[in-house]
Amino acid sequence: MTKTTTKIYSGPLSMFGAKVQIAALEKGIDFELIMVPFTKNDAYEPKHPEVLRVNPVKQQVPVLIDDQVELFDSTQIFEYLEDRYPGPAHLALWPQGIAERARARQLEQKSDEVFFPNVIRLFGLQHDMQSAPAVAACAACARYYDEMEGLLAEREYLAGPYSFADIAFYMACIFADRKGARMTGATPRLLAWRSRMGERPAVRTVVEPMMRFLASEGRDVASFLMPR
């Protein structure tokens, strides 16, 4: 029998690709990582032909090719990985209960669609962080941090057990910090959560090369991940 090769197409600065890589590592999946071309001047050009084939409209990573399945979008890939590679309970990345799983899925979606758009508004505003748009975006991020702080009052991770929701928000937090929307001492539980996340081997395996790449490109590195 021919062994199936799982392929993940990502990029050195792809937050969403990093989410998929972390998830695959956490689940112990044997996969081939293909980093698409990236240059400082041309970004993700030329587009990788497999990315264009699987995701012809958005033309973005991550892309997953596994067995007879070809997917793009990190959330859709999360769902597939959990169905395709359920593994033992300790490798599950969605909670077991129906209600708990729904809440975790909602948190993962909010990280991408509610929190991260505020971070995107900060792109290009580092020269004017006192401007009204930058102040408003940082304030929105701070309100979201407060909301997550409340979730951590009696749990170590956002949805109870460690889940895709934590992976998604941790990566979003890295980009938020880089762009100036940093956590403060006002959310001590969230800061502790961030430290726990950063200690996970799968997270380190993916995030450390990304930070090295950022440094090599002369780009901002998340302040809490800088060498001390």
Side-chain angles (χ1 to χ4, degrees):
M1 180 180 293
T2 303
K3 184 178 179 181
T4 300
T5 300
T6 302
K7 295 182 179 181
I8 294 173
Y9 293 81
S10 186
L13 291 184
S14 172
M15 181 188 85
F16 297 100
K19 288 166 51 179
V20 171
Q21 293 176 59
I22 292 169
L25 289 169
E26 293 282 14
K27 294 187 72 64
I29 298 169
D30 185 17
F31 66 93
E32 178 186 356
L33 176 64
I34 299 99
M35 283 290 187
V36 302
F38 180 94
T39 64
K40 191 169 185 177
N41 294 326
D42 295 328
Y44 289 103
E45 297 287 350
K47 302 293 186 180
H48 194 286
E50 284 294 88
V51 174
L52 289 176
R53 183 178 66 81
V54 178
N55 190 7
V57 177
K58 289 191 172 183
Q59 304 182 4
Q60 297 171 341
V61 294
V63 161
L64 177 131
I65 299 176
D66 181 58
D67 197 12
Q68 298 179 6
V69 173
E70 298 175 340
L71 295 171
F72 62 90
D73 182 83
S74 60
T75 301
Q76 298 305 312
I77 294 172
F78 278 174
E79 296 289 354
Y80 172 76
L81 293 179
E82 198 69 359
D83 289 339
R84 176 74 171 84
Y85 302 98
H90 73 278
L91 294 179
L93 288 177
W94 286 131
Q96 295 302 303
I98 293 174
E100 292 79 6
R101 185 175 292 219
R103 284 192 286 268
R105 283 172 167 153
Q106 185 77 93
L107 284 167
E108 193 270 339
Q109 190 267 347
K110 286 176 65 176
S111 177
D112 289 354
E113 304 295 336
V114 176
F115 175 75
F116 196 61
N118 296 304
V119 180
I120 292 174
R121 294 185 185 99
L122 291 170
F123 281 47
L125 291 178
Q126 276 63 61
H127 67 288
D128 192 11
M129 290 300 289
Q130 298 307 311
S131 65
V135 170
C138 287
C141 288
R143 289 193 296 271
Y144 196 87
Y145 293 149
D146 287 340
E147 181 182 345
M148 296 302 103
E149 175 79 1
L151 290 181
L152 294 167
E154 297 180 352
R155 59 183 69 166
E156 288 193 340
Y157 294 104
L158 298 178
Y162 177 68
S163 73
F164 291 118
D166 298 288
I167 296 171
F169 188 50
Y170 183 77
M171 290 308 308
C173 287
I174 287 176
F175 279 74
D177 186 278
R178 292 181 56 235
K179 297 304 177 182
R182 294 174 177 168
M183 294 180 192
T184 70
T187 56
R189 291 190 291 265
L190 192 59
L191 290 171
W193 165 87
R194 190 179 68 183
S195 295
R196 285 194 296 277
M197 288 293 299
E199 291 168 0
R200 298 186 71 89
V203 173
R204 291 202 308 270
T205 296
V206 175
V207 170
E208 288 176 1
M210 179 181 280
M211 294 303 107
R212 288 195 296 269
F213 184 84
L214 282 166
S216 74
E217 291 274 311
R219 298 168 183 251
D220 292 333
V221 175
S223 62
F224 63 92
L225 293 173
M226 293 178 67
R228 298 184 184 278

